Amino acid sequence: MTDKIRIKDIAEKAGVSVGTVDRVLHKRPNVSKSALAKVEKVLQEINYRPNMYASALAYNKSYTFYMILPQHDSEAYWEEIEEGAKKAEDYRRDFHIHVKILFYERFNEKSYIDTYMGCLNADPDGVVIVPYELEITRKFTDKLHERNIPFVMLDSYMPDLRPLTFYGQDSFCSGYFAAKVLMMIAYKEKEIMLMKQMKNGKVVSKQQANREVGFRHYMKDHFPKVKILEVNLPLDKTREEYDLILEDFFTKHPLVHQCITLNSRAHLVGDFLLRSNRRDVQIMGYDMVGKNVECLRQGSISFLIAQHAYMQGYYCVDALFRAIVLKTEIKPVNYMPIELLMKENVDFYRRTQI
């Protein structure tokens, strides 16, 4: 009966006009307290459940969501995020959803501020943000709260900023997991290489920094005598420059047989190992980007930890859609799975779950 009931039926039962029922159902103003109580009583009696999809389609409004990401190369974690967001836009195209992506320069405070000001000036309906430093990001999110613009947080979770929701891995647990798996095969090793990419002495994201905390926490508790040797492959360098750094490292440390990197560019080391014909080094890295997968198949990378970057992009946009268009409640924290990929199972991994 609930599916077939009409607004006219509700109005007759409540003793009010059809227009009043329509205003109540769509949460519009200009409804007296007594009329509101009568309509809500009838809705409760008939266990009324509105068809939010039909209502949203009938409303015929367009929505623009902005996504703010760091500038990046191709074959990176962020590219998968973009593809997932665009998939969500396409999937909800009947609801006139539009996704616009803005980029800021990493570690450039002015660039981040200019980018979020550009977003605010565009008056978005919702925003997906990758946070910068806490207080800088807070200036942006405070303005979003002032304007009642919902925002979804990606990559790093900062609960103090009160996002609508968060999508990403539990970074500490991810790093801890990576160390535990690595040491199942490297338990006899005395030295391990940790490849990092830094700029001005900082890693490229808070997520990677938190992974390193988890990684080192496990190592300190379980393998305190293993020496962790850091190698920095600076951002925006050439392959030739990376090769020189890596050749120097492996020449100086011939006993290193295990490498871990907590970012999506394990292929920088994997490609070097293939070209230099080194077969005695195993690599653990992150993210199923194309170049990483190719190294995995060829054996220069042994393990990849997948975090469903594509689905993170999709879910962030879809959360805004569900909250703003369908007006449904959104779970505040959504941790993505931590999955281990090897050559033998990578072809069975599916980045989409739609």
Side-chain angles (χ1 to χ4, degrees), residues 17 37 40 45 77 124 128 135 148 167 177 187 194 208 212 219 224 228 240 245 258-259 278 301 304 306 332 342 351:
S17 69
E40 288 182 340
E45 288 174 352
Y77 163 79
V128 179
E135 293 309 315
N148 293 316
Y167 283 95
F177 172 83
Y187 61 92
L194 172 61
Q208 291 175 44
E212 185 175 342
M219 295 300 294
I228 300 171
E240 290 73 19
I245 295 171
Q258 304 293 336
C259 169
R278 295 175 185 266
I301 292 178
L304 287 175
M342 297 178 285
R351 71 176 186 172

Side-chain angles (χ1 to χ4, degrees), residues 246 250 268-283 300-301:
L246 292 169
F250 285 112
L268 295 178
V269 183
D271 285 341
F272 169 78
L273 295 178
L274 290 172
R275 286 183 279 105
S276 61
N277 201 31
R278 295 175 185 266
R279 299 292 176 174
D280 61 344
V281 178
Q282 296 189 88
I283 305 173
S300 63
I301 292 178

Side-chain angles (χ1 to χ4, degrees), residues 181-192 219 222-223 225-227 255-258 282:
V181 172
L182 178 67
M183 296 313 295
M184 288 180 181
I185 59 172
Y187 61 92
K188 293 184 179 180
E189 300 295 323
K190 296 181 179 180
E191 299 176 332
I192 290 175
M219 295 300 294
H222 298 278
F223 294 90
K225 294 183 180 180
V226 173
K227 187 178 293 185
L255 298 181
V256 170
H257 303 294
Q258 304 293 336
Q282 296 189 88

Side-chain angles (χ1 to χ4, degrees), residues 60-74:
N60 200 34
K61 183 182 185 301
S62 64
Y63 304 85
T64 302
F65 303 149
Y66 274 71
M67 176 174 275
I68 298 178
L69 300 178
Q71 293 174 352
H72 57 83
D73 297 327
S74 62

Side-chain angles (χ1 to χ4, degrees), residues 61-110:
K61 183 182 185 301
S62 64
Y63 304 85
T64 302
F65 303 149
Y66 274 71
M67 176 174 275
I68 298 178
L69 300 178
Q71 293 174 352
H72 57 83
D73 297 327
S74 62
E75 295 288 352
Y77 163 79
W78 302 112
E79 189 172 49
E80 292 259 306
I81 295 285
E82 288 185 61
E83 291 177 13
K86 287 298 183 181
K87 176 63 178 179
E89 176 188 41
D90 181 63
Y91 192 70
R92 302 299 188 183
R93 62 184 178 276
D94 290 344
F95 295 88
H96 311 291
I97 300 298
H98 306 284
V99 176
K100 296 186 180 297
I101 301 176
L102 302 178
F103 299 98
Y104 67 90
E105 183 181 341
R106 292 177 180 177
F107 307 114
N108 186 325
E109 181 179 323
K110 183 179 184 302

